C-alpha cells in the first residue's frame, strides 16, 4: 500500500507542491489547514519508523522559507500568518521527532483513546513496576550501591522492552489500525510513562 | 544603499553600556559617531541624568560624569528594573542612589516600579527610551537620514514582562521594533557568521546585570537554539556590590560610620567597579577612602579575597550552564566552542570556571562588549531581506501556563520549546449567563502558581450568555518569535471571537505606551524649543553686533532720533534674549529689528559703495 500523501496543489498558482506549506514554483505561503497530517507537512510517509536526520533537514528547509523573519517588513497580516504557520510547523516537528509523541500522534489519528481516558497498562507491568519501586526505595534507604546498580539495569531493561513494544505496535497502527492494536498501544504508551517515573527516582 | 525606509538598526540595550550597529554588504559594524558628528568608541554608558536646576536631560558619558554630583537625578542600571515591580526589587533598592517607587496609578494587583526624579515619575521603559533615542540620534548622524526601525536585544532569560518593557521602550523612542533578539543568540550569529562548518556552540553571556547561557546547533546557516538558561539579576553589578558591601561593613566596624548616602553610594559604585577591573589585571588592589575629619579607611584587597566573595555568584552561573546542557541533552565535551560575551567575562575566575566545566579554553577573541550589537545588526539585515542564507531559531526560556483550580501551575508550553510556539486550552463558565472569564497567566518552572511569575490577568470578554458550563471558549496562547505572548479567544458554540483584555502585572498597557510615545514627542518638541532658543539668542548676538558696528561706521548718516531709536532697540533686544525663554516673541522681535535696521544697512551699503568709488 502506498503510504505517501497525494500531491497538494498551491492555492496561488495551482501547481503541485512538494511541501503543503511553501510553493517552490511561485514562492507562495499556503496556510496549513487544521487537521493536516503532520507527516504530510514534511512530505514524509505516514510511518512510525523515521529518519530523524532527514526530518530535521526537511524541517529546516521549510522553516527557511516560511519563518516570519523572512517577512519582517511585509504587511502585518503576512507576519501574523507566517508566525502562526511557523508555530504549527514547530509543533508538528516536535511531535514527530520524539518517538513516544510520534506513537501517541499515530494512535490519536487512528481514533485511539487518550491517556486520561484509558489508564490500563499491559499484563504484569504494574506489578513489576511496583516491585521495582520498592526495591529502589529499599536500596536508597540502605545506601546499597550494588542493589541500586541492579535496579538501574532492570529499569533500563523495562524501558527498552516498553519502547520496542510501542515501536512495533505504532508501525501497525500507522498502516492498518485495528481496534485491538489501538488498545494495546495505549497500554504500552502508559507503561512507558510509568518506567519514566521510575527513571526519575534514579538520577 | 540604505534609505530612510529600509534601514534597520541593531541595538544592544545593555545594563552598563549600550551600542548601535549597522550591517551592510561588508558585514556588521558598530556606529562610532556621536550625534554631534565626532568619533568615539561607540560605547554609550546606559546613564540618564536630569539637571537638578533646569531638568535638562543628558545621556551617556555626559550623564555618567555627573553621577556622583547628582546622585538622585542620575539613573543607571535601569535594565534591572525593566518589567519589575517594587516588591521584586527589595534587595536591589539599597544599592540604588535614585528613588524607586511603586507607580502612584497602580491599582491592586499591579506593581510597576518607577523612578522619581524632580517630582516626576518615570517608568523604566521611558528611561530606556531616552537611551534608545540617543543611539538613534547617533545612527542618524552617521547616516545623514532619519531611522525608524530597529532590532533590540534582550537577555535570553527575560520573561514576557521584561521583553514587553524592552519593546515598549523602543516604541516610546519612536522606533518600530521589528524584533527582540536574545543576546546570546545574537552573539552566536556574530561569532558564527564567518564560519561555514556545522558546530555546537555554548554562549556564556555575563553582562552588567544579567546572565544567560545558550546552547546552539549551527547547521547550513541555521542557528538553532537547543536550550537556554540564566538569571536576569546576576551580573558584574553584583560583583561590584560585593566590594561595596565589604567596604560599608568595614567602615561601619572601624569608624562607626554608615556610608550609604546617595552621593556616597554612587561614589562607591564607580570605585568598586574600578577595583574589580584592577583585580582583573593585578593580584591586589589598594583601597583608600577619605572619610573626613582625619579619618581614613585603607586596606588591600587581593584577587583571592575578591574571588572568594564572588564565588557563590559565579557558581550560580555554572549551575545554569549545567541545566542548559542537561536540557539540550548534551555533555560538556560535545560542545565545539564556548563563546564568551559581556564585559564581566573578563573576570579571571569566570574564565577559569567556564574552562573547567567544559574541559577546554573558551573563545575570547571577540570584543565581549560589541559582539551582541554586531549580532543584532546581522539579524537586522536578515529581517531586511539583505541576508538570506542565515536564519535564527530560538526557544522560550520559561514554561508558560495558567493558574488552575487550587492554585497550581498548569503548564501549556514547556521551557526550551522552539518559538513561535502555540498551545490551546478550553475554558467554560461556572455561573449561568456569565459573560467573562478571568485567567491568570503564569511563567516559571515551579508547581504552585504563587511561586511563578504572573504575566497578568487576562479577561475573556463578550461570551454570549448561556447556562453554566455550556460555553466552549478556546483560548490560543502564541509565543511569537520575540518570545512575547499573544492571546486570542473564540467561543466555539457561537463562533464568536471573544475580546481579551489584559491587565499586565508588571507592565504597561498598550494605551499607556501610546501616551508615553506622544509625550516623548512633546519632549522632543520642548527639546527643539531649547535648540531654537539657542539659535535665536545667537542670532540676536550676531544681529545686534552687526548693527552696532554699522552704527559706529555710518551712524552719522542717520538723524539723531533714528540713531537713538536703533541704540534703544539693540539694548532692548539684548535684554529680551538674556531674560526671556519665549522663542516666538524673540523671533518676532528679531524680525522687527531686522526691518528697523534696513535703513542702517542701506546707509552702510551706500557708504561702502562710496568708499569703493574713492
Amino acid at each position: 500500500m502506498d503510504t505517501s500523501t497525494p500531491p497538494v496543489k498551491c492555492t496561488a498558482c495551482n501547481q503541485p507542491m512538494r511541501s503543503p506549506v511553501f510553493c517552490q514554483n511561485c514562492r507562495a505561503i499556503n496556510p496549513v489547514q487544521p487537521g493536516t497530517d503532520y507527516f504530510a507537512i514534511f512530505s514524509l510517509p505516514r510511518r512510525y519508523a523515521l529518519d530523524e536526520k532527514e526530518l530535521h533537514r526537511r524541517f529546516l528547509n521549510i522553516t527557511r522559507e516560511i519563518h516570519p523573519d523572512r517577512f519582517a517588513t511585509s504587511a502585518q497580516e503576512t507576519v501574523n500568518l507566517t508566525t502562526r504557520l511557523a508555530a504549527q510547523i514547530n509543533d508538528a516537528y516536535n511531535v514527530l521527532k520524539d518517538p513516544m509523541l510520534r506513537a501517541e500522534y499515530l494512535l490519536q489519528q487512528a481514533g485511539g483513546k487518550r491517556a486520561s481516558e484509558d489508564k490500563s497498562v499491559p499484563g504484569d507491568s504494574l506489578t513489576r513496576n511496583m516491585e521495582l519501586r520498592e526495591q529502589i526505595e529499599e536500596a536508597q534507604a540502605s545506601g546499597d550501591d550494588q542493589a541500586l546498580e541492579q535496579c538501574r539495569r532492570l529499569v533500563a531493561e523495562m524501558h527498552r522492552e516498553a519502547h520496542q513494544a510501542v515501536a512495533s505496535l505504532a508501525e501497525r497502527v500507522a498502516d492498518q489500525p485495528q481496534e485491538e492494536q489501538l488498545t494495546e498501544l495505549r497500554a504500552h504508551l502508559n507503561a512507558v510513562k510509568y518506567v519514566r517515573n521510575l527513571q526519575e527516582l534514579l538520577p | 544603499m540604505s534609505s530612510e525606509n529600509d534601514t534597520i538598526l541593531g541595538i544592544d540595550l545593555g545594563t552598563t553600556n549600550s551600542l548601535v550597529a549597522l550591517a551592510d554588504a561588508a558585514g556588521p559594524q558598530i556606529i562610532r559617531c556621536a550625534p554631534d558628528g565626532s568619533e568615539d568608541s561607540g560605547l554609550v554608558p546606559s546613564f540618564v541624568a536630569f539637571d537638578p536646576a533646569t531638568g535638562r536631560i543628558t545621556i551617556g558619558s555626559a550623564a555618567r560624569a555627573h553621577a556622583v554630583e547628582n546622585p538622585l537625578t542620575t539613573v543607571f542600571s535601569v535594565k534591572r528594573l525593566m518589567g519589575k515591580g517594587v516588591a521584586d526589587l527589595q534587595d536591589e533598592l539599597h544599592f540604588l542612589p535614585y528613588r524607586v517607587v511603586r507607580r502612584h496609578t497602580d491599582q491592586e494587583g499591579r506593581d510597576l516600579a518607577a523612578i522619581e526624579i524632580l517630582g516626576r515619575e518615570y517608568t523604566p521603559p521611558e528611561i530606556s527610551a531616552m537611551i534608545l533615542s540617543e543611539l538613534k540620534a547617533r545612527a542618524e548622524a552617521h547616516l545623514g537620514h532619519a531611522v525608524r526601525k530597529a532590532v533590540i536585544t534582550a537577555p535570553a532569560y527575560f520573561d514576557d514582562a521584561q521583553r514587553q518593557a524592552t519593546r515598549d521602550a523602543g516604541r516610546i523612542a519612536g522606533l518600530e521594533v521589528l524584533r527582540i533578539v536574545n543576546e546570546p543568540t545574537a552573539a552566536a550569529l556574530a561569532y558564527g557568521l564567518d564560519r561555514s562548518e556545522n558546530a555546537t556552540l555554548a554562549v556564556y553571556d555575563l553582562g552588567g546585570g544579567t546572565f544567560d547561557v545558550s546552547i546552539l546547533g549551527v547547521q547550513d546557516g541555521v542557528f538553532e537554539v537547543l536550550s537556554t538558561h540564566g538569571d536576569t539579576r546576576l551580573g558584574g553589578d553584583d560583583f561590584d556590590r560585593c566590594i561595596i558591601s565589604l567596604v560599608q561593613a568595614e567602615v561601619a566596624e572601624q569608624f562607626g560610620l554608615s556610608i550609604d548616602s546617595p552621593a556616597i553610594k554612587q561614589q562607591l559604585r564607580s570605585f568598586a567597579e574600578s577595583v574589580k577591573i584592577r583585580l582583573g589585571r593585578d593580584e591586589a588592589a589598594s583601597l583608600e577612602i577619605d572619610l573626613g575629619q582625619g579619618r581614613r579607611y585603607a586596606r588591600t584587597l587581593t584577587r583571592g579575597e575578591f574571588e572568594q566573595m564572588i564565588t557563590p555568584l559565579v557558581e550560580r552561573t555554572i549551575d545554569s550552564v549545567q541545566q542548559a546542557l542537561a536540557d539540550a541533552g548534551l555533555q560538556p565535551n560535545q560542545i565545539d566552542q564556548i563563546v564568551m560575551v559581556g564585559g564581566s567575562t573578563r573576570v579571571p575566575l569566570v574564565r577559569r570556571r567556564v574552562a573547567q566545566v567544559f574541559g577546554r579554553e573558551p573563545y575570547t577573541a571577540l570584543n565581549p562588549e560589541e559582539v551582541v550589537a554586531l549580532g543584532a545588526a546581522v539579524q537586522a539585515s536578515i529581517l531586511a531581506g539583505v541576508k538570506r542564507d542565515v536564519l535564527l531559531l530560538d526557544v522560550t526560556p520559561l514554561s508558560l501556563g495558567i493558574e488552575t483550580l487550587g492554585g497550581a501551575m498548569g503548564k501549556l508550553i514547556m521551557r526550551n520549546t522552539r518559538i513561535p510556539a502555540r498551545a490551546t486550552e478550553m475554558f467554560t463558565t461556572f455561573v449561568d449567563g456569565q459573560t467573562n472569564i478571568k485567567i491568570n497567566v503564569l511563567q516559571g518552572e515551579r508547581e504552585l502558581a504563587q511561586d511563578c511569575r504572573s504575566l497578568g490577568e487576562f479577561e475573556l470578554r463578550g461570551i454570549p450568555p448561556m447556562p453554566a458550563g455550556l460555553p466552549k471558549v478556546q483560548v490560543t496562547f502564541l509565543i511569537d518569535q520575540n518570545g512575547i505572548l499573544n492571546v486570542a479567544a473564540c467561543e466555539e458554540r457561537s463562533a464568536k471571537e471573544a475580546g481579551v483584555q489584559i491587565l499586565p502585572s508588571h507592565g504597561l498597557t498598550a494605551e499607556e505606551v501610546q501616551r508615553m510615545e506622544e509625550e516623548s514627542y512633546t519632549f522632543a518638541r520642548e527639546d527643539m524649543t531649547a535648540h531654537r532658543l539657542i539659535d535665536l539668542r545667537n542670532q540676536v548676538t550676531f544681529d545686534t553686533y552687526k548693527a552696532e558696528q554699522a552704527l559706529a561706521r555710518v551712524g552719522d548718516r542717520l538723524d539723531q532720533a533714528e540713531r537713538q531709536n536703533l541704540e534703544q532697540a539693540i539694548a532692548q533686544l539684548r535684554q529680551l534674549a538674556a531674560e526671556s525663554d519665549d522663542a516666538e516673541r524673540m523671533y518676532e522681535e528679531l524680525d522687527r529689528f531686522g526691518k528697523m535696521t534696513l535703513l542702517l544697512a542701506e546707509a552702510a551699503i551706500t557708504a561702502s559703495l562710496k568708499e569703493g568709488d574713492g
Side-chain angles (χ1 to χ4, degrees), chain B residues 204-222:
Chain B
Y204 180 100
D205 180 357
L206 188 60
T210 58
F211 169 71
D212 285 323
V213 55
S214 288
I215 313 287
L216 293 99
V218 185
Q219 189 178 333
D220 306 325
V222 180

PDB file of all heavy atoms in Angstrom, chain B residues 204-222:
ATOM      1  N   TYR B 204      28.250  31.896  26.683  1.00  0.00           N
ATOM      2  CA  TYR B 204      28.222  32.264  28.098  1.00  0.00           C
ATOM      3  C   TYR B 204      28.241  33.788  28.137  1.00  0.00           C
ATOM      4  O   TYR B 204      29.213  34.411  27.748  1.00  0.00           O
ATOM      5  CB  TYR B 204      29.441  31.665  28.795  1.00  0.00           C
ATOM      6  CG  TYR B 204      29.552  31.965  30.285  1.00  0.00           C
ATOM      7  CD1 TYR B 204      29.173  31.023  31.235  1.00  0.00           C
ATOM      8  CD2 TYR B 204      30.062  33.184  30.739  1.00  0.00           C
ATOM      9  CE1 TYR B 204      29.291  31.284  32.607  1.00  0.00           C
ATOM     10  CE2 TYR B 204      30.173  33.458  32.100  1.00  0.00           C
ATOM     11  CZ  TYR B 204      29.788  32.508  33.010  1.00  0.00           C
ATOM     12  OH  TYR B 204      29.898  32.774  34.355  1.00  0.00           O
ATOM     13  N   ASP B 205      27.128  34.368  28.551  1.00  0.00           N
ATOM     14  CA  ASP B 205      26.957  35.824  28.447  1.00  0.00           C
ATOM     15  C   ASP B 205      26.721  36.438  29.832  1.00  0.00           C
ATOM     16  O   ASP B 205      25.625  36.356  30.373  1.00  0.00           O
ATOM     17  CB  ASP B 205      25.775  36.113  27.509  1.00  0.00           C
ATOM     18  CG  ASP B 205      25.522  37.609  27.327  1.00  0.00           C
ATOM     19  OD1 ASP B 205      26.208  38.431  27.963  1.00  0.00           O
ATOM     20  OD2 ASP B 205      24.621  37.953  26.538  1.00  0.00           O
ATOM     21  N   LEU B 206      27.782  37.022  30.391  1.00  0.00           N
ATOM     22  CA  LEU B 206      27.673  37.644  31.703  1.00  0.00           C
ATOM     23  C   LEU B 206      27.875  39.146  31.544  1.00  0.00           C
ATOM     24  O   LEU B 206      28.980  39.620  31.315  1.00  0.00           O
ATOM     25  CB  LEU B 206      28.711  37.048  32.659  1.00  0.00           C
ATOM     26  CG  LEU B 206      28.609  37.471  34.130  1.00  0.00           C
ATOM     27  CD1 LEU B 206      27.263  37.085  34.741  1.00  0.00           C
ATOM     28  CD2 LEU B 206      29.721  36.835  34.952  1.00  0.00           C
ATOM     29  N   GLY B 207      26.773  39.867  31.616  1.00  0.00           N
ATOM     30  CA  GLY B 207      26.830  41.312  31.416  1.00  0.00           C
ATOM     31  C   GLY B 207      26.865  42.058  32.729  1.00  0.00           C
ATOM     32  O   GLY B 207      27.253  41.507  33.766  1.00  0.00           O
ATOM     33  N   GLY B 208      26.441  43.327  32.686  1.00  0.00           N
ATOM     34  CA  GLY B 208      26.457  44.144  33.879  1.00  0.00           C
ATOM     35  C   GLY B 208      25.397  43.716  34.888  1.00  0.00           C
ATOM     36  O   GLY B 208      25.601  43.800  36.091  1.00  0.00           O
ATOM     37  N   GLY B 209      24.255  43.290  34.387  1.00  0.00           N
ATOM     38  CA  GLY B 209      23.177  42.952  35.302  1.00  0.00           C
ATOM     39  C   GLY B 209      22.495  41.637  35.047  1.00  0.00           C
ATOM     40  O   GLY B 209      21.647  41.211  35.829  1.00  0.00           O
ATOM     41  N   THR B 210      22.828  40.976  33.949  1.00  0.00           N
ATOM     42  CA  THR B 210      22.121  39.742  33.618  1.00  0.00           C
ATOM     43  C   THR B 210      23.077  38.661  33.158  1.00  0.00           C
ATOM     44  O   THR B 210      24.161  38.936  32.649  1.00  0.00           O
ATOM     45  CB  THR B 210      21.100  39.977  32.470  1.00  0.00           C
ATOM     46  OG1 THR B 210      21.808  40.470  31.331  1.00  0.00           O
ATOM     47  CG2 THR B 210      20.044  40.974  32.877  1.00  0.00           C
ATOM     48  N   PHE B 211      22.649  37.416  33.352  1.00  0.00           N
ATOM     49  CA  PHE B 211      23.446  36.279  32.898  1.00  0.00           C
ATOM     50  C   PHE B 211      22.584  35.345  32.049  1.00  0.00           C
ATOM     51  O   PHE B 211      21.451  35.052  32.399  1.00  0.00           O
ATOM     52  CB  PHE B 211      24.009  35.488  34.083  1.00  0.00           C
ATOM     53  CG  PHE B 211      24.594  34.180  33.650  1.00  0.00           C
ATOM     54  CD1 PHE B 211      25.781  34.166  32.927  1.00  0.00           C
ATOM     55  CD2 PHE B 211      23.950  32.977  33.909  1.00  0.00           C
ATOM     56  CE1 PHE B 211      26.309  32.965  32.471  1.00  0.00           C
ATOM     57  CE2 PHE B 211      24.481  31.778  33.456  1.00  0.00           C
ATOM     58  CZ  PHE B 211      25.665  31.774  32.743  1.00  0.00           C
ATOM     59  N   ASP B 212      23.130  34.902  30.931  1.00  0.00           N
ATOM     60  CA  ASP B 212      22.480  33.917  30.067  1.00  0.00           C
ATOM     61  C   ASP B 212      23.493  32.884  29.621  1.00  0.00           C
ATOM     62  O   ASP B 212      24.655  33.212  29.394  1.00  0.00           O
ATOM     63  CB  ASP B 212      22.011  34.565  28.754  1.00  0.00           C
ATOM     64  CG  ASP B 212      20.777  35.417  28.908  1.00  0.00           C
ATOM     65  OD1 ASP B 212      19.892  35.046  29.684  1.00  0.00           O
ATOM     66  OD2 ASP B 212      20.711  36.456  28.231  1.00  0.00           O
ATOM     67  N   VAL B 213      23.008  31.661  29.446  1.00  0.00           N
ATOM     68  CA  VAL B 213      23.812  30.689  28.711  1.00  0.00           C
ATOM     69  C   VAL B 213      22.876  30.050  27.690  1.00  0.00           C
ATOM     70  O   VAL B 213      21.724  29.740  27.997  1.00  0.00           O
ATOM     71  CB  VAL B 213      24.457  29.640  29.644  1.00  0.00           C
ATOM     72  CG1 VAL B 213      23.436  28.937  30.516  1.00  0.00           C
ATOM     73  CG2 VAL B 213      25.246  28.617  28.834  1.00  0.00           C
ATOM     74  N   SER B 214      23.346  29.930  26.461  1.00  0.00           N
ATOM     75  CA  SER B 214      22.549  29.280  25.425  1.00  0.00           C
ATOM     76  C   SER B 214      23.399  28.245  24.718  1.00  0.00           C
ATOM     77  O   SER B 214      24.585  28.461  24.488  1.00  0.00           O
ATOM     78  CB  SER B 214      22.034  30.298  24.401  1.00  0.00           C
ATOM     79  OG  SER B 214      21.020  31.089  24.967  1.00  0.00           O
ATOM     80  N   ILE B 215      22.765  27.126  24.395  1.00  0.00           N
ATOM     81  CA  ILE B 215      23.435  26.084  23.616  1.00  0.00           C
ATOM     82  C   ILE B 215      22.796  26.115  22.230  1.00  0.00           C
ATOM     83  O   ILE B 215      21.563  26.102  22.118  1.00  0.00           O
ATOM     84  CB  ILE B 215      23.225  24.681  24.254  1.00  0.00           C
ATOM     85  CG1 ILE B 215      23.478  24.700  25.765  1.00  0.00           C
ATOM     86  CG2 ILE B 215      24.061  23.635  23.536  1.00  0.00           C
ATOM     87  CD1 ILE B 215      24.903  24.803  26.200  1.00  0.00           C
ATOM     88  N   LEU B 216      23.639  26.207  21.202  1.00  0.00           N
ATOM     89  CA  LEU B 216      23.110  26.295  19.837  1.00  0.00           C
ATOM     90  C   LEU B 216      23.737  25.259  18.915  1.00  0.00           C
ATOM     91  O   LEU B 216      24.924  24.954  19.047  1.00  0.00           O
ATOM     92  CB  LEU B 216      23.418  27.662  19.219  1.00  0.00           C
ATOM     93  CG  LEU B 216      22.777  28.906  19.780  1.00  0.00           C
ATOM     94  CD1 LEU B 216      23.767  29.600  20.698  1.00  0.00           C
ATOM     95  CD2 LEU B 216      22.379  29.834  18.649  1.00  0.00           C
ATOM     96  N   GLY B 217      22.919  24.780  17.991  1.00  0.00           N
ATOM     97  CA  GLY B 217      23.430  23.965  16.907  1.00  0.00           C
ATOM     98  C   GLY B 217      23.446  24.824  15.653  1.00  0.00           C
ATOM     99  O   GLY B 217      22.473  25.517  15.383  1.00  0.00           O
ATOM    100  N   VAL B 218      24.558  24.829  14.943  1.00  0.00           N
ATOM    101  CA  VAL B 218      24.630  25.605  13.703  1.00  0.00           C
ATOM    102  C   VAL B 218      24.734  24.621  12.551  1.00  0.00           C
ATOM    103  O   VAL B 218      25.625  23.772  12.525  1.00  0.00           O
ATOM    104  CB  VAL B 218      25.852  26.549  13.692  1.00  0.00           C
ATOM    105  CG1 VAL B 218      25.818  27.432  12.455  1.00  0.00           C
ATOM    106  CG2 VAL B 218      25.887  27.392  14.944  1.00  0.00           C
ATOM    107  N   GLN B 219      23.783  24.680  11.637  1.00  0.00           N
ATOM    108  CA  GLN B 219      23.783  23.777  10.500  1.00  0.00           C
ATOM    109  C   GLN B 219      23.362  24.532   9.247  1.00  0.00           C
ATOM    110  O   GLN B 219      22.246  25.050   9.191  1.00  0.00           O
ATOM    111  CB  GLN B 219      22.829  22.609  10.780  1.00  0.00           C
ATOM    112  CG  GLN B 219      22.927  21.513   9.750  1.00  0.00           C
ATOM    113  CD  GLN B 219      22.004  20.341  10.061  1.00  0.00           C
ATOM    114  OE1 GLN B 219      21.660  20.074  11.192  1.00  0.00           O
ATOM    115  NE2 GLN B 219      21.583  19.640   9.032  1.00  0.00           N
ATOM    116  N   ASP B 220      24.235  24.579   8.288  1.00  0.00           N
ATOM    117  CA  ASP B 220      23.956  25.216   6.989  1.00  0.00           C
ATOM    118  C   ASP B 220      23.291  26.578   7.138  1.00  0.00           C
ATOM    119  O   ASP B 220      22.268  26.849   6.500  1.00  0.00           O
ATOM    120  CB  ASP B 220      23.087  24.298   6.126  1.00  0.00           C
ATOM    121  CG  ASP B 220      23.692  22.911   5.987  1.00  0.00           C
ATOM    122  OD1 ASP B 220      24.939  22.823   5.924  1.00  0.00           O
ATOM    123  OD2 ASP B 220      22.945  21.919   5.975  1.00  0.00           O
ATOM    124  N   GLY B 221      23.843  27.406   7.972  1.00  0.00           N
ATOM    125  CA  GLY B 221      23.337  28.769   8.101  1.00  0.00           C
ATOM    126  C   GLY B 221      22.148  28.917   9.033  1.00  0.00           C
ATOM    127  O   GLY B 221      21.692  30.037   9.260  1.00  0.00           O
ATOM    128  N   VAL B 222      21.635  27.817   9.547  1.00  0.00           N
ATOM    129  CA  VAL B 222      20.537  27.939  10.506  1.00  0.00           C
ATOM    130  C   VAL B 222      21.107  27.821  11.915  1.00  0.00           C
ATOM    131  O   VAL B 222      21.774  26.833  12.245  1.00  0.00           O
ATOM    132  CB  VAL B 222      19.442  26.878  10.284  1.00  0.00           C
ATOM    133  CG1 VAL B 222      18.333  27.049  11.313  1.00  0.00           C
ATOM    134  CG2 VAL B 222      18.876  26.982   8.884  1.00  0.00           C
TER     135      VAL B 222
END
